[in-house]
Amino acid sequence: MNAPFFKFDYFNTDVSLIFAFIIGIAFGIALERGGFGRATILAAQFYFTNMRVLKVMFTAIVTAMLGLFYLSVIGFLDLSLIYLTTTNMLPMVVGGLVAGVGFVIGGYCPGTSMVAVATGKIDAMVYVLGMMFGIFVFGEMFPSIESFFNSSEMGSVTLPQYFNMSYGLVVFLVVLMALGAFAAAEWGERKMAAKKSEANP
């Protein structure tokens, strides 16, 4: 086994932060070049008029998943050493719904909002201010919701562990799900485009 590199002491924490900074900058550039620094792109996702976000992000997830899986199969990567956060199902579901509403209303996610701020978009600046205010409110409220925040803890669990399936089978099913999502996205875009053309002949 040779990876994760940090776990095998190929570099220290300071170097890892430098790598994180470089990767973060590269990711931000990729988001901007992909058009994700515009609120209309993410908002269009929820109206099924432009499914670019789903296609790009799902492609990234599947690519990373396949890479990790095959690197582990050939013995290069030890998956057991990859850090996983604990799963608290109910708080995560509620948090995901709240975040999703914020995405629809604001047209950004935290990452794309920072990219948009870097390019000088005023709406993104307002969004980030609102996000910071939300973080402040959450911090102030945390003592009263701490029990809920820590509820339904499942530990650091993965999909293969949760469903008692092999990693290979889960990888295969996720790939199938991605292909289905891509096909559905294409179908939805065509339907919405046809409806728009009918409304504006």
Side-chain angles (χ1 to χ4, degrees), residues 55-74:
K55 295 173 186 175
V56 171
M57 292 304 179
F58 218 153
T59 299
I61 290 170
V62 169
T63 301
M65 177 191 67
L66 290 173
L68 290 172
F69 176 70
Y70 284 113
L71 286 174
S72 69
V73 168
I74 65 175

Side-chain angles (χ1 to χ4, degrees), residues 66-143:
L66 290 173
L68 290 172
F69 176 70
Y70 284 113
L71 286 174
S72 69
V73 168
I74 65 175
F76 183 81
L77 173 68
D78 187 349
L79 287 175
S80 67
L81 294 179
I82 294 179
Y83 174 75
L84 298 173
T85 60
T86 58
T87 298
N88 297 78
M89 185 61 72
L90 183 58
M92 287 181 169
V93 169
V94 173
L97 291 173
V98 172
V101 171
F103 292 178
V104 176
I105 294 173
Y108 293 106
C109 73
T112 56
S113 67
M114 299 308 296
V115 170
V117 167
T119 57
K121 291 185 172 60
I122 303 299
D123 60 337
M125 296 178 188
V126 175
Y127 184 91
V128 170
L129 288 175
M131 185 169 61
M132 299 302 292
F133 177 72
I135 292 171
F136 171 78
V137 171
F138 175 80
E140 292 298 308
M141 291 178 56
F142 186 74

